[in-house]
Each structure stands twice: as C-alpha cells, then as structure tokens.
Amino acid sequence: MAEFTMELNDEQKEVRDWLHGFAADVIRPAAAVWDEREETPWPVIQEAAKVGIYSLDFYAQQYFDATGLGIPMAMEELFWGDAGIALSIVGTGLAAVGVLANGTEEQIGTWIPQMYGEPNDVKVAAFCSSEPDAGSDVASMRTRAVYDEAKDEWVINGTKTWATNGGIANVHVVVASVDPGLGSKGHASFIVPPGTPGLTQGQKFKKHGIRASHTAEVVLDGVRVPGSCLLGGKEKLDERLARAREKARKGGDRVKNAAMATFEASRPAVGAMAVGTARAAYEVALDYARTREQFGRPIIDNQGVAFQLADMRTQIDAARLLVWRASWMAVNGRPFEAAEGSMSKLFASETAKKVTAQAIQILGGNGYTREYPVERMHRDAAIYTIFEGTSEIQRLVIARTISGMPIR
C-alpha cells in the first residue's frame, strides 16, 4: 500500500508538465471556438490521441498509479485548459470505468480498446444511466433488459438522457433494470456494440456550459445484445440478485448497484475537474488584479480584492486535498467510511462555482464579456454541482454514511 503523500514524484511531475503544456498550447487556443460551435472537437481529440493522451495506455497508467494521484492530477491539468474540450477528451473514461468496475477481464480487454479507436481513427464511448424520470432517483429507472434464454441474448428497451457522447459513441455502456422488484439493486450494465440495430440518438442538448462536449438522449428500441455483453456475466448477476432478494426478505438493503459502483469510482475525478476549472479562473483573476490599475494603483492593493483572492486560493487547495485523499483511498482499497468520495466531489464542485463567480466580480465588466475566459469558466463550473450526483445527493450520501443509514 502506497503511503499518502501531498508531493508528486518526479515521474508524476513530468506527466503533469506534459499535460499542462498540451492544455496551454492545444486546448486553450481552441476553447472559445468550440464553445461557440457547440460541437465535438474531433481535431483536438485526434491531436490528444496522436501524442498519447487520448489512449487506453495513458488512462490505465494513471488509473493504476499506486499513489492514486494519477487520475486527479491529469484531470486538473486538462480541465485547467478548458472544461468542454477536456470532457470530450476524458468522457470516454466514464464508460471505461463502468467496464473496469463491473466487467470480466475478457470484457475489459475486448471493449475498452474499441472505446478509444486508433490515433488516425479516434472513437468515443458513452455511459448511459440517467433517464428522463430517473436522474438522482436511480430506483425509478424504466429501461428494461429481458433475457432471451433461447438465443442467449438480452433485449433492452428504454430511453437514456444526459449521456456524454450519447449516440455518437462507438460503444455504449447501458444500465438497465433486470428485476424491477428490487429497485436499484436489480440493475445491471450492458455493452451495446457498434452498429447494434435499435440504438439511436435522440435529442442533442444545447447547454449553458461545457458546450464542446456532446450530450444527448439515447433511445433503445428492441436492442438485442449477446449474453456476453452483460458486464460481469450472468452467473455473477444471478448470485447478486439472489443475495439482494434474500436481504430484501430480511429487511436488509446493503447491495450496491451497477451505476452507483461506477459513480463511486469516478466522483473524486469529477472533483479534480472542478479544481482545474477553479484554478484556471483564479489565475486569470490574480493576473488581472496585479495589472489592472484604478485610482493609481493595482486593484490587488485593495483589501476587498486581495481577501477574495486569498479565500479563492485557500478553497482550491482544500478541495485538491480532499480529492487527493479520496483518490488515494480508492486505489488502496480504503473504505469510504465517511463518504470521502462524495465529500471531495461536493466541496470541489461548490468551490468551482464560487471561485469562478468571484473571478468575474474581480474582473468587473470585463469578466462578464466573452473577451475574457472567466465567463465561460463560470458557465462550465455550473455542471460540477449537477452531474454524477448533485450536491444535494452528495450531502445525502455523506449524511447517511456517517449516520449508518442505508444508501438506496
């Protein structure tokens, strides 16, 4: 087990500097353009693939970093560049985590490479969990998967929403209910291979922020996938369902569902994304306060501005420490006894909203215009308190964890 540390080693620092250079030289110059277009920045993703950032190898190296700091360090640097473009680059990772968290070794080796494609032919993947009537309330999921034993196929019907890369993905990972009577405990995850009949893109959403990231509905109408596409396999599913039914009969409620397993693994990474956006806005505001003069002196000489910047930096550093702690705990098998993963996501996302708003205030009228990037950063930051569990859901998870109440 790696000891927790707040100091990156030489190799991690080298990777961090490499990512920072890519974010500064490639992502940032393209940020405003793709925000206005509201389209997937395929050229930037391809450039990331060519240098090795958008790849299974790079993701695996960071994911399996024994210190746990590989993923949060990478997320912070990329999202420092721009949240929308960075989410287009890392969005496939949520689907990959879904397979890593629930799949067999054969499924991991088969499907994750197809999620990324090749540098000259990049692909993306989508994780599909939320539904029009089931966002935070995963127990209300209506998408159904029914097993056709004669053909060893699963038949999936339903509509997913808020899916990053939904409809344009090469591989979709879909969470569906296989036993509605068990609520969220009756869910399972399925791979929907490329070109599977019955899967179509629904509405593409025009968003307040992260506009360079494709978000859409995914419609599943009689989608048939082979039995081998059930993540973890049917034997494991049957055993899990049997345990859930027994616990339900005895009044227990402790079995985790497939979507929750994915979100628990990814929440600290979302916190790191928020830290990156907050840090970017803080740096713009700090530089502006040093150079902008009013009444014959830089505005940072005014205590009101200086104290805001002091608070911004303090909150960013505190958020990073919570993210790093949760990431280290996850990689080293430490249980989240106080919902440390949700803590990190909650504090970092709220920090990003607050810091980006303060950055606009420090820039004044300039901060409200698109001539400066902080208005875009503020729009982007709004998503962190919403996706992969709202701030209210994070507080609910924390409260129920520390009180010993079951998380449904």
Side-chain angles (χ1 to χ4, degrees), residues 185-269:
K185 307 304 181 287
H187 295 174
S189 293
F190 299 85
I191 293 287
V192 180
T196 300
L199 185 148
T200 57
Q201 178 183 309
Q203 176 187 5
K204 178 187 175 183
F205 296 103
K206 296 180 72 66
K207 304 187 298 297
H208 175 65
I210 55 167
R211 294 178 179 177
S213 174
H214 177 97
T215 310
E217 291 182 332
V218 174
V219 180
L220 302 114
D221 184 8
V223 170
R224 284 182 169 267
V225 299
S228 60
C229 287
L230 166 65
L231 289 180
K234 194 167 188 306
E235 182 178 348
K236 183 177 178 180
L237 172 65
D238 289 342
E239 291 175 357
R240 178 166 63 81
L241 294 177
R243 291 196 303 271
R245 294 183 187 111
E246 181 64 17
K247 286 182 180 292
R249 186 181 66 81
K250 294 180 178 179
D253 193 17
R254 295 289 183 181
V255 182
K256 295 179 181 178
N257 63 74
M260 287 300 293
T262 299
F263 289 141
E264 285 183 9
S266 62
R267 276 173 179 157

Side-chain angles (χ1 to χ4, degrees), residues 54-351:
Y54 186 77
S55 71
L56 172 60
D57 287 345
F58 175 75
Y59 189 82
Q61 287 173 10
Q62 306 315 311
Y63 185 86
F64 292 109
D65 182 339
T67 69
L69 302 185
I71 288 293
M73 176 267 295
M75 295 300 107
E76 179 176 338
E77 293 305 326
L78 292 173
F79 280 74
W80 172 88
D82 176 69
I85 292 178
L87 190 56
S88 289
I89 293 173
V90 307
T92 292
L94 185 57
V97 168
V99 177
L100 285 168
N102 302 295
T104 64
E105 288 187 9
E106 182 179 358
Q107 289 169 331
I108 292 169
T110 299
W111 295 110
I112 293 184
Q114 294 187 48
M115 294 179 174
Y116 290 91
E118 302 292 337
N120 292 322
D121 184 25
V122 293
K123 307 292 185 184
V124 295
F127 182 75
C128 307
S129 177
S130 295
E131 297 184 5
D133 296 318
S136 298
D137 183 11
V138 294
S140 298
M141 188 175 292
R142 294 182 179 179
T143 298
R144 298 286 184 262
V146 178
Y147 185 57
D148 183 342
E149 189 171 359
K151 295 184 178 180
D152 186 26
E153 292 179 341
W154 288 89
V155 185
I156 309 173
N157 287 282
T159 299
K160 296 296 181 179
T161 194
W162 311 122
T164 299
N165 297 329
I168 66 171
N170 195 47
V171 176
H172 291 76
V173 177
V174 176
V175 181
S177 175
V178 297
D179 189 335
L182 291 174
S184 63
K185 307 304 181 287
H187 295 174
S189 293
F190 299 85
I191 293 287
V192 180
T196 300
L199 185 148
T200 57
Q201 178 183 309
Q203 176 187 5
K204 178 187 175 183
F205 296 103
K206 296 180 72 66
K207 304 187 298 297
H208 175 65
I210 55 167
R211 294 178 179 177
S213 174
H214 177 97
T215 310
E217 291 182 332
V218 174
V219 180
L220 302 114
D221 184 8
V223 170
R224 284 182 169 267
V225 299
S228 60
C229 287
L230 166 65
L231 289 180
K234 194 167 188 306
E235 182 178 348
K236 183 177 178 180
L237 172 65
D238 289 342
E239 291 175 357
R240 178 166 63 81
L241 294 177
R243 291 196 303 271
R245 294 183 187 111
E246 181 64 17
K247 286 182 180 292
R249 186 181 66 81
K250 294 180 178 179
D253 193 17
R254 295 289 183 181
V255 182
K256 295 179 181 178
N257 63 74
M260 287 300 293
T262 299
F263 289 141
E264 285 183 9
S266 62
R267 276 173 179 157
V270 176
M273 299 173 188
V275 171
T277 299
R279 189 183 113 211
Y282 158 77
E283 289 176 1
V284 172
L286 178 62
D287 182 65
Y288 186 88
R290 285 169 170 167
T291 57
R292 172 70 168 174
E293 291 192 0
Q294 291 288 280
F295 305 106
R297 61 179 182 174
I299 63 173
I300 199 171
D301 284 352
N302 296 310
Q303 194 175 77
V305 173
F307 279 14
Q308 282 194 75
L309 289 163
D311 287 343
M312 291 159 75
R313 176 61 184 266
T314 300
Q315 290 158 0
I316 291 167
D317 282 10
R320 183 184 297 110
L321 288 175
L322 283 171
V323 167
W324 282 18
R325 180 185 69 168
S327 300
W328 173 81
M329 290 176 69
V331 166
N332 287 281
R334 293 288 185 93
F336 286 166
E337 294 179 351
E340 287 87 350
S342 290
M343 281 186 185
S344 69
K345 197 263 186 187
L346 170 65
F347 189 82
S349 60
E350 294 289 345
T351 293

